[in-house]
Structures are given as C-alpha cells and as structure tokens.
C-alpha cells in the first residue's frame, strides 16, 4: 500500500526498494491524497506494479486532465475513485480514504490505516508552514477549518498523523495537537483578512504588507499571493 508518489525519479527508487524488500510482491494499492504534482507526479513509476490506483473523483479528474494535456509526460491515472469514502481490507489492515469537503483543493482525502492507528493527511496539514491554497481547483479556507476538525474527530487522540508539508525544523508527523495548531492558524488568517476587508482595504493595500500572524510566528511570513487568495475568497463570500 503506497500513499502518494512524489516525483518520477524518487518514485522509481521507492518501487525498486519495495520490490527488493518484498521479493517482488506487487503493490496492492497506490492512493493519491490529491492531484498536485508533488503527490501524484510519480504515479507512472507504479505502472504494472500497483494492482489498483485510488483517488477522490475530483482529484482523479484533474490528474487525468493534466495527463491529457499536449506534451504531458506519461502518467498513471486512478482507476478506482470515490466521492465520500473508500474502505478496503488489505492483509490484516483496514485502509480508509475519506473526503471531508473542500479545503486545500476540492478533492483532498485523509488515508487512515485503522489498525496501525496512522492517518495520512496529505496537504490538509501544513505543520508550521504557510499552506498552499489552490483556489482555482476548489480550495476553501473557511471550510478547511471544519475539515480538520472532522478529520480529528474521526481519529483517536493518540493517532499518528502524517503531514503533507512542514516548516524547516518541524516534524512531518505528529498528533491531533498539531492539527489544532494549524486549525487555529487558519482561523487567525481568516480573522486577519476579515478585519482588513471590514476596514475598507483593497486587495492591493491588504497584500502590500505580508506579516507573520501573532501567535503563529513559526509559520513564517506570508506571500502577497497567499494573502490575495484568502482576500478573494472572503470578498466573494461577503
Ligand atoms: Zn498539494
């Protein structure tokens, strides 16, 4: 069972290592948490290796679209899709992929290994790092907060969560506590943006300064691009 495939060269190394250690046992399932290239770009290395390729319907469509573009590299696209939840027994493990709604994109899933008590959050989780917000492909920061809360509630307090990304010096795994820090950061980001809109600032004025948010200094400074995306979302929701 493999969750996400990063880039082709690295995925190739992963496949070689798996083959060597498993004495050529095939990969039962390759699952993508979402469509972004740094999570699905290496799928092609699993062609003929993974028996099935699973992703949320929305993510699968975007992967297929990208693969169909002129000059696109050869790609292995998902052959099994789901809209709410996918769950299967593999060996003595139960694996679940669940969609909680729009957040980082419009098609992110949490992949849970129920017996092992491990949950791969994909890019629903940035640990002390400014998140990528893919508004063009369905992201919604206001809902992201709810998505994290729902995902946390679906897992035990001692579940090991794997994060899509982390700031330098911060770990890529952790517990519910880290999820709550990120939820609170997103809330602070929305509040910061809401205050500016209420004060009558234009997008240009708002994105002219790129502060760190009080209490969330570890995340670092924002880019004008990130702030602009949040501004657009909130201006539209008004
Ligand atoms: Zn991503």
């Amino acid at each position: 069972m493999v969750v996400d495939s990063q880039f082709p060269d690295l995925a190739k190394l992963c496949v070689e290592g798996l083959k060597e250690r498993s004495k050529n046992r095939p990969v039962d399932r390759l699952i993508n948490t979402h469509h972004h290239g740094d999570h699905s770009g290496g799928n092609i290395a699993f062609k003929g290796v993974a028996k099935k390729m699973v992703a949320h319907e929305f993510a699968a469509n975007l992967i297929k679209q990208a693969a169909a573009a002129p000059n696109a590299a050869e790609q292995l696209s998902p052959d099994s899709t789901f809209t709410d939840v996918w769950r299967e027994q593999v060996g003595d493990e139960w694996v679940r992929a669940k969609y909680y709604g729009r957040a980082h994109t419009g098609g992110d899933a949490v992949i849970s290994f129920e017996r092992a008590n491990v949950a791969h959050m994909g890019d629903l989780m940035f640990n002390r790092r400014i998140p990528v917000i893919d508004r063009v492909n369905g992201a919604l920061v206001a809902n992201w907060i709810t998505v994290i809360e729902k995902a946390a509630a679906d897992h035990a307090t001692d579940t090991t969560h794997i994060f899509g990304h982390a700031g330098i010096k911060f770990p890529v795994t952790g517990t519910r506590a880290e999820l709550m820090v990120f939820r609170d950061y997103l809330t602070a980001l929305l509040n910061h943006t809401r205050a500016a809109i209420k004060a009558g600032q234009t997008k240009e004025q708002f994105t002219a300064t790129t502060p760190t948010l009080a209490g969330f200094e570890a995340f670092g400074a924002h880019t004008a691009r990130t702030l602009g995306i949040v501004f657009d979302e909130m201006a539209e929701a008004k």
Side-chain angles (χ1 to χ4, degrees):
M1 180 79 57
V2 173
V3 180
D4 286 349
S5 59
Q6 216 175 50
F7 299 112
D9 290 357
L10 292 161
K12 208 169 149 247
L13 292 177
C14 174
V15 168
E16 281 165 13
L18 287 171
K19 279 185 172 171
E20 195 182 301
R21 288 177 204 193
S22 70
K23 302 197 167 45
N24 283 319
R25 193 185 182 287
V27 170
D28 287 290
R29 305 287 179 262
L30 168 65
I31 311 177
N32 286 158
T33 56
H34 65 294
H35 75 283
H36 284 157
D38 57 332
H39 294 257
S40 68
N43 285 359
I44 189 62
F46 291 87
K47 192 180 179 181
V49 176
K51 290 185 193 166
K52 263 194 194 179
M53 226 250 92
V54 183
H56 183 266
E57 191 178 49
F58 186 88
N61 286 336
L62 289 171
I63 292 167
K64 285 172 193 168
Q65 265 176 39
N71 304 321
E74 200 196 346
Q75 174 64 306
L76 176 70
S77 296
D79 51 49
S80 305
T81 62
F82 63 94
T83 49
D84 300 317
V85 66
W86 170 94
R87 189 168 177 264
E88 239 178 47
Q89 188 171 20
V90 180
D92 61 359
E93 181 60 282
W94 278 96
V95 184
R96 183 177 79 222
K98 188 167 174 181
Y99 177 66
Y100 292 93
R102 292 168 62 187
H104 158 72
T105 71
D108 297 84
V110 174
I111 320 302
S112 308
F113 294 80
E114 295 176 1
R115 287 192 61 182
N117 196 21
V118 171
H120 196 311
M121 301 296 292
D123 283 1
L124 291 173
M125 243 325 270
F126 283 71
N127 186 25
R128 274 92 169 178
R129 181 168 165 170
I130 305 291
V132 171
I133 305 165
D134 192 348
R135 184 168 149 80
V136 174
N137 290 309
L140 200 58
V141 179
N143 200 51
W144 198 337
I145 293 162
T146 316
V147 164
I148 291 173
E149 285 178 347
K150 283 187 195 162
D154 260 358
H155 296 88
T157 48
D158 65 348
T159 297
T160 299
H161 291 269
I162 299 170
F163 312 143
H165 299 274
I168 295 165
K169 289 190 225 162
F170 287 98
V172 289
T173 63
T175 64
R176 182 182 289 183
E178 276 75 39
L179 268 61
M180 294 303 110
V181 169
F182 186 54
R183 174 201 61 180
D184 292 345
Y185 156 79
L186 290 175
T187 306
L189 179 59
L190 287 185
N191 288 341
H192 171 69
T193 311
R194 187 179 292 119
I197 291 174
K198 212 175 160 191
Q201 282 190 17
T202 64
K203 184 176 172 181
E204 287 63 36
Q205 288 168 332
F206 177 59
T207 58
T209 52
T210 51
T212 54
L213 295 177
F216 301 96
E217 290 80 4
F219 283 74
H222 289 81
T223 62
R225 186 180 142 72
T226 299
L227 292 178
I229 288 167
V230 182
F231 188 95
D232 288 344
E233 177 184 318
M234 299 209 80
E236 190 187 85
K238 232 174 30 156

